[in-house]
Amino acid sequence: MMCSIYKSAKKPDTYLYVPFDTDFEDLPEGLMSVWGEPELVMHLDLAKREQLALVDINELKSKLDEEGYYLQMPPSQEELAQLIKGK
């Protein structure tokens, strides 16, 4: 599955994952109103990945199939501490 990753112009460290061929008109209006103008970061082939750095790949695939998007919020201070410790 190919997906596209966009970063938010309004929300730092917030990313939106969508299937590659997604039309932003199909996404929830509320999401797009708080999101701002999306800026493309990259396209990613999830079939060639077993894991991602900050996102559970199975949860990502499930959300893309069920909801048509996945919103990655910035990690909390506790989550950052755990990442640094390698947990």
Side-chain angles (χ1 to χ4, degrees), residues 3 5-6 12 25-27 38 46 69 80 82-83:
C3 77
I5 305 169
Y6 294 87
E25 303 271 326
D26 296 335
L27 297 175
L46 298 177
Y69 70 95
L80 284 174
Q82 290 176 351
L83 285 171

Side-chain angles (χ1 to χ4, degrees), residues 8 13 19 28 37-38 40 46 58 65-67 76 80:
S8 173
D13 300 322
E37 187 67 29
L40 180 65
L46 298 177
N58 294 319
D65 285 337
E66 294 170 13
E67 298 179 25
S76 68
L80 284 174

Side-chain angles (χ1 to χ4, degrees), residues 6-23:
Y6 294 87
K7 68 180 183 176
S8 173
K10 291 184 177 180
K11 305 282 184 185
D13 300 322
T14 304
Y15 297 90
L16 180 67
Y17 294 71
V18 294
F20 180 73
D21 58 354
T22 296
D23 182 351

Side-chain angles (χ1 to χ4, degrees), residues 17 46 50-63 70 72:
Y17 294 71
L46 298 177
E50 292 183 16
Q51 63 183 20
L52 298 172
L54 298 176
V55 175
D56 179 296
I57 195 163
N58 294 319
E59 181 181 354
L60 170 61
K61 289 177 181 179
S62 177
K63 292 284 187 180
Y70 176 85
Q72 177 188 334

